[in-house]
Amino acid sequence: MLMKWFEEWFDSEYYHLLYKNRDHQEAEEFINNLLEEIDLDSGAYILDLACGKGRHSRYLASLGYKVLGVDLSENSIKEAKQFESENLKFEVRDMRAPFTEDAFDLVLNLFTSFGYFDDKKDNYKVLNAIETMMNEDGYFVIDFMNVEKVIRTLVEKEQKEIDGVLFDITREVKDGFIVKNIKVIDGEKVYNFQEKVQALTIDNFKEMIAKTDLVVDNFYGNYNLDIFDADTSDRLIIVGTKW
Ligand SMILES: C[S@@+](CC[C@H](N)C(=O)[O-])C[C@H]1O[C@@H](n2cnc3c(N)ncnc32)[C@H](O)[C@@H]1O
């Protein structure tokens, strides 16, 4: 069967190369700011849903929290697993399906790990999975892009060379998705990948969340957790709890 774009692209070494500046320092600063905003016990159990190679999970575990990172990418989880410890575990899982109930004090979905699926019902599957796996007093955090600013400032064509690999990127907004076509030229080898994320605005999130048992406490606009502003913010970071 044909692979979905997110199964292929995120599992490739080129995804990690293209985004290598989204690093551990960014993750640590964000987590530090987040921990000042939410009230977590030192023994809290945290789920990093769509954790990639686990940059946020690893930092949270280093602070003493018990952490589980899950991701669909077998390659990313394989890499992350080398950092496992007593309080840090990684597993291959699909974020659309809850695998436990009422277990986590905090469920994270970070760095635009939402809105990947063609069927919009899958957005609700992810929200419901988050809700099901959070405990009564738990928090959730969804860190998405500020679509309004992304669309306004869209760079249609871009070339980047990173470590000798050429990335030829085109971007467009099509049928409600922000589509990024990525041609990778690595010496003799040429590959084509795609990133296709739903153009979900703050109003779309409000509407979806209103149909779940999740409640939003705040919308933030960057990793310093300044309040969201549709004109200027780079991110749309949703922090909430459940009814
Ligand atoms: C943009 S990356 C973010 C990774 C990580 N949160 C970070 O900040 O570095 C999105 C991640 O979502 C994962 N992903 C895509 N579809 C998924 C699914 N259905 N279930 C779980 N993870 C998924 C990808 O494999 C990828 O690691």
Side-chain angles (χ1 to χ4, degrees):
M1 209 175 69
L2 209 61
M3 277 173 99
K4 299 278 185 204
W5 72 264
F6 51 86
E7 293 167 338
E8 214 163 16
W9 171 231
F10 292 125
D11 211 35
S12 93
E13 60 184 298
Y14 297 112
Y15 161 73
H16 296 284
L17 184 60
L18 182 61
Y19 288 98
K20 75 172 188 180
N21 62 334
R22 312 316 291 252
D23 59 7
H24 288 271
Q25 194 187 332
E26 179 191 75
E28 290 178 16
E29 285 169 7
F30 178 32
I31 292 296
N32 288 338
N33 293 332
L34 207 53
L35 292 174
E36 284 185 19
E37 288 296 305
I38 58 180
D39 193 17
L40 273 191
D41 284 346
S42 55
Y45 189 20
I46 300 171
L47 174 64
D48 187 0
L49 199 58
C51 64
K53 289 184 184 175
R55 58 190 177 131
H56 301 93
S57 298
R58 283 169 58 191
Y59 182 56
L60 282 160
S62 78
L63 299 177
Y65 297 105
K66 186 177 170 199
V67 186
L68 174 64
V70 304
D71 199 283
L72 196 63
S73 161
E74 296 196 2
N75 283 334
S76 294
I77 290 299
K78 196 167 151 201
E79 281 220 25
K81 270 188 173 290
Q82 56 183 309
F83 302 101
E84 279 191 339
S85 62
E86 203 176 321
N87 62 327
L88 175 63
K89 301 288 174 213
F90 292 100
E91 292 174 9
V92 175
R93 298 254 183 208
D94 191 317
M95 62 179 149
R96 287 167 287 189
F99 49 88
T100 180
E101 275 179 38
D102 300 329
F104 297 97
D105 302 291
L106 170 63
V107 177
L108 300 168
N109 178 270
L110 303 182
F111 191 43
T112 322
S113 298
F114 198 93
Y116 291 165
F117 313 110
D118 287 331
D119 186 346
K120 305 252 160 106
K121 279 194 220 118
D122 283 0
N123 290 337
Y124 289 99
K125 287 193 183 163
V126 178
L127 292 175
N128 288 328
I130 291 174
E131 184 196 313
T132 304
M133 293 191 282
M134 278 164 68
N135 64 31
E136 243 182 29
D137 305 315
Y139 293 92
F140 73 92
V141 178
I142 298 174
D143 158 31
F144 199 66
M145 58 187 150
N146 174 10
V147 154
E148 285 153 275
K149 184 169 173 190
V150 168
I151 293 178
R152 219 175 336 100
T153 58
L154 200 74
V155 179
E156 286 176 9
K157 282 183 198 299
E158 188 184 7
Q159 279 205 341
K160 275 187 187 178
E161 198 186 318
I162 306 171
D163 298 351
V165 177
L166 189 68
F167 293 88
D168 199 340
I169 301 169
T170 60
R171 297 182 182 84
E172 62 177 333
V173 183
K174 203 175 169 200
D175 303 329
F177 286 82
I178 297 174
V179 183
K180 192 161 157 183
N181 289 304
I182 307 143
K183 181 173 179 182
V184 178
I185 303 156
D186 185 1
E188 303 278 280
K189 294 175 279 177
V190 178
Y191 305 92
N192 286 290
F193 294 100
Q194 193 175 63
E195 241 178 64
K196 189 170 163 235
V197 181
Q198 288 171 38
L200 297 167
T201 62
I202 186 169
D203 288 338
N204 296 140
F205 274 104
K206 282 182 182 167
E207 208 177 298
M208 284 188 292
I209 289 172
K211 291 184 185 150
T212 70
D213 278 338
L214 297 171
V215 229
V216 176
D217 291 338
N218 270 309
F219 291 102
Y220 300 100
N222 56 33
Y223 294 137
N224 291 326
L225 299 188
D226 295 316
I227 290 302
F228 178 78
D229 177 290
D231 288 332
T232 57
S233 295
D234 288 319
R235 308 296 303 164
L236 170 63
I237 300 169
I238 308 166
V239 177
T241 47
K242 69 177 176 182
W243 288 111

